[in-house]
Amino acid sequence: MNAPTTPLLFPELLGSGFGALPPRVRMVHLRQGPQHLSGEVEVARGTRWLSRLCAWATRLPPAGKGPITVEIDATPGHERWTRHVASHAMPSRLWSRDGLLCERLGLVTFGFRLHAEDGAIVWRVERVRVFGLPLPKAWFDGVGARESEFDGRYHFDVAASLPLAGLLVRYKGWLHVD
């Protein structure tokens, strides 16, 4: 008897909405094993001291505009992403729990609810933990992401701002996906 297989994260979490996504968005999330994507990114960073501290704790990329490479290693139930911007690496680990996409960035673990909306994947924060301790969800209303396709390219737009800290980061751009 064969053991049940664990599906890939994004198709599992998005359910029937996954099939309605544009081809390049689906391709990024259907490939098992390692993949290496490259493109362009523009990064804006907050300048307040609390913003800089939060950005350090989550290993966010520096401000600037230029090339980006993203390495994704996907196995059923887990993914490892490393985004390379300039000489900075931003690694994260993703998995599914309680219907949420969990992402560990540095000292912080986010729980995102994924939605397929208007041909895009929209990430919305449902919970956040630092050192395993829960933080109020309302603090993270300014954190989210959107993956879409435009002009035949995979596009991403990630924003994070917090009360008192202000803007932590906003990075947006595109990747070649074939």
Side-chain angles (χ1 to χ4, degrees), residues 16-171:
S16 62
F18 186 80
L21 294 169
R24 284 171 181 77
V25 175
R26 286 193 322 266
M27 285 193 301
V28 167
H29 299 297
L30 282 175
R31 293 184 180 159
Q32 289 193 50
Q35 63 178 309
H36 183 86
L37 307 169
S38 62
E40 295 288 325
V41 68
E42 184 173 351
V43 181
R45 285 276 299 266
T47 57
R48 297 179 184 172
W49 71 269
L50 186 53
S51 171
R52 291 191 312 268
L53 178 64
C54 292
W56 170 82
T58 52
R59 300 180 181 161
L60 297 176
K65 185 175 182 177
I68 182 173
T69 59
V70 180
E71 297 167 2
I72 301 172
D73 190 5
T75 59
H78 295 88
E79 295 186 12
R80 289 192 183 276
W81 292 28
T82 306
R83 302 148 189 95
H84 297 274
V85 177
S87 61
H88 179 83
M90 184 174 77
S92 67
R93 188 171 60 88
L94 295 90
W95 68 96
S96 172
R97 177 173 291 148
D98 303 326
L100 300 178
L101 177 69
C102 298
E103 182 175 26
R104 174 82 188 242
L105 278 163
L107 304 174
V108 181
T109 302
F110 294 92
F112 292 99
R113 177 91 48 213
L114 299 182
H115 302 273
E117 297 178 7
D118 300 322
I121 300 175
V122 178
W123 302 38
R124 292 191 180 102
V125 173
E126 286 291 320
R127 67 178 178 222
V128 180
R129 294 181 177 273
V130 176
F131 299 119
L133 301 172
L135 298 177
K137 177 185 167 189
W139 290 1
F140 298 90
D141 288 343
V143 176
R146 181 178 178 86
E147 301 176 56
S148 60
E149 184 176 319
F150 181 72
D151 284 343
R153 288 184 173 157
Y154 167 91
H155 282 255
F156 56 90
D157 189 348
V158 178
S161 60
L162 300 177
L164 302 177
L167 175 71
L168 303 182
V169 72
R170 177 157 189 206
Y171 63 95

